[in-house]
């Protein structure tokens, strides 16, 4: 039997960043609201797939498309942030 070690990355900081982007960033705001914080893990999971439309719909709260323009922009920023952090 072979044992393989898998590197498990702590993604809690990235999850919080994703939640803050989804919640809406502005000067002085350092944390997402409770609703978006609770969605952080799910949003990060969707971002890892690169599915911008699905991510935008999840941020928008409808769960289905089309999402609003603001949420599409947030989804693009989240995916970009995800790709930069995971490298």
């Amino acid at each position: 039997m072979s044992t393989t070690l898998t590197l498990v990355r702590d993604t809690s900081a990235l999850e919080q960043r994703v939640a803050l982007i989804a919640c809406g960033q502005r000067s002085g705001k350092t944390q997402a609201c409770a609703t978006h914080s609770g969605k952080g893990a799910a949003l990060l999971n969707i971002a890892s797939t690169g599915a911008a439309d699905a991510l935008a719909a999840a941020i928008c709260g409808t769960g289905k498309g089309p999402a609003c323009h603001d949420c599409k922009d947030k989804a693009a920023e989240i995916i970009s942030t995800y790709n930069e952090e995971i490298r």
Side-chain angles (χ1 to χ4, degrees), residues 22-42:
C23 191
Q25 301 179 89
R26 64 179 173 270
S27 180
K29 185 174 180 179
T30 59
Q31 291 184 322
C33 69
T35 299
H36 285 101
S37 291
K39 293 180 180 181

Side-chain angles (χ1 to χ4, degrees), residues 14-72:
L14 181 56
E15 186 178 312
Q16 291 173 15
R17 176 82 178 120
V18 164
L20 180 59
I21 293 168
C23 191
Q25 301 179 89
R26 64 179 173 270
S27 180
K29 185 174 180 179
T30 59
Q31 291 184 322
C33 69
T35 299
H36 285 101
S37 291
K39 293 180 180 181
L43 297 175
L44 185 59
N45 188 36
I46 298 168
S48 72
T49 69
D53 290 339
L55 182 57
I59 294 167
C60 216
T62 63
K64 60 181 180 176
C68 70
H69 180 71
D70 191 37
C71 289
K72 287 180 183 180

